[in-house]
Amino acid sequence: MGRKFFVGGNWKMNGTKKEIDEIVAFLKAGPLDPNVDVVVGVPAIYLTYVKGILPNNVDISAQNAYKVPKGAFTGEISPAMLLDNSIPWVILGHSERRNVFGETDELVADKVAHSLEAGLKVIACIGEKLEEREAGKTEEVVFRQTKAIADKIKSWDNVVLAYEPVWAIGTGKTATPQQAQEVHEKLRDWFTKNVNANVAETVRIIYGGSVTAGNAKELAKEKDIDGFLVGGASLKPDFVQIVNAKQ
């Protein structure tokens, strides 16, 4: 049984109801490849609005959640609250959370572990910065970030791992299909050696970093790239072509 292709659209801090209606309209028009899991990551304030209008073949995700069920954490949202609103997915450890908001590997791992225990499915993000890549530290960084998560979770069944080289996010620079494939393949090797062969074979590792309708098909041909986490392009009709990159 092959790994099912997965395409996430991370809207980030974008959208008004009018703009969201336009996005939902092109998702409904599609047509979207039925062999792909499609999930959109929505700003917290719009989650219930979007949940009510999305087509059945598109799922919904929060963009963040905290590591405990409730308490004195002003401005945060818990997995329990997401589940109470029928939101099944959450994106955790995105490079912007790590590098703009200072989230550590340990905090990201705590969030992933708590979200999974609460019953959410998680898109967990990892990736190196430009200076880390140029210093030859890509593997060191992504293995460290993955290990932090692996050390705290019991199962990878409800995790999609998103490899996002930070230098390629929103910059227009994209890792070549070969560069992305190389990291994905090394991550699978890491899983074989440090978790188990079954997880290495079954966990979906998706690529994020300036994915466009123009480069999605080439990236999708690589054997260890199981889909995409798309930023800005998920706000535009081109997102449909990215979803359909395997066709």
Side-chain angles (χ1 to χ4, degrees):
M1 184 67 192
R3 297 180 298 269
K4 190 173 183 184
F5 210 69
F6 183 104
V7 178
N10 177 13
W11 296 358
K12 307 191 181 185
M13 197 177 72
N14 292 297
T16 58
K17 286 185 180 174
K18 180 175 180 295
E19 290 165 341
I20 287 166
D21 289 345
E22 290 167 5
I23 295 169
V24 171
F26 71 64
L27 290 173
K28 283 181 173 171
L32 303 177
D33 184 343
N35 299 312
V36 177
D37 284 335
V38 185
V39 176
V40 290
V42 176
I45 197 165
Y46 292 123
L47 281 166
T48 49
Y49 177 72
V50 175
K51 174 86 179 162
I53 58 173
L54 274 179
N56 291 334
N57 57 347
V58 179
D59 225 333
I60 189 165
S61 174
Q63 296 178 4
N64 190 26
Y66 199 50
K67 64 179 182 178
V68 292
K70 59 182 179 182
F73 302 102
T74 302
E76 290 290 339
I77 293 172
S78 73
M81 292 171 174
L82 294 172
L83 290 161
D84 194 36
N85 285 281
S86 302
I87 307 300
W89 284 90
V90 64
I91 300 169
L92 295 172
H94 190 278
S95 65
E96 289 151 9
R97 299 302 315 173
R98 294 176 186 268
N99 300 312
V100 179
F101 298 101
E103 293 191 6
T104 61
D105 293 351
E106 183 179 24
L107 177 59
V108 172
D110 284 340
K111 288 179 164 196
V112 172
H114 177 61
S115 289
L116 291 171
E117 284 161 13
L120 285 174
K121 292 179 273 194
V122 175
I123 301 166
C125 304
I126 58 169
E128 82 282 11
K129 293 188 275 204
L130 182 61
E131 59 267 29
E132 291 166 335
R133 173 165 278 265
E134 288 177 342
K137 292 185 175 174
T138 294
E139 286 174 53
E140 181 187 324
V141 172
V142 298
F143 292 170
R144 186 194 75 224
Q145 293 170 337
T146 307
K147 182 180 187 308
I149 296 168
D151 284 348
K152 294 211 169 148
I153 70 172
K154 298 178 181 74
S155 167
W156 286 85
D157 290 354
N158 288 319
V159 181
V160 171
L161 192 65
Y163 167 59
E164 298 196 301
V166 181
W167 50 272
I169 297 175
T171 59
K173 291 181 185 175
T174 313
T176 64
Q178 294 72 33
Q179 282 174 316
Q181 164 60 23
E182 185 183 357
V183 177
H184 284 227
E185 187 172 16
K186 284 178 174 165
L187 281 164
R188 280 199 207 286
D189 289 343
W190 185 91
F191 278 111
T192 301
K193 291 172 185 150
N194 295 278
V195 184
N196 63 59
N198 183 55
V199 169
E201 181 58 37
T202 57
V203 71
R204 290 182 286 188
I205 307 176
I206 63 175
Y207 171 76
S210 299
V211 177
T212 66
N215 61 26
K217 275 193 181 303
E218 286 305 306
L219 286 160
K221 285 177 186 168
E222 299 294 336
K223 72 180 174 65
D224 290 303
I225 298 178
D226 302 317
F228 308 114
L229 185 57
V230 184
S234 68
L235 304 168
K236 304 179 185 129
D238 276 1
F239 183 61
V240 172
Q241 289 173 252
I242 297 172
V243 170
N244 297 336
K246 282 292 246 192
Q247 287 184 330

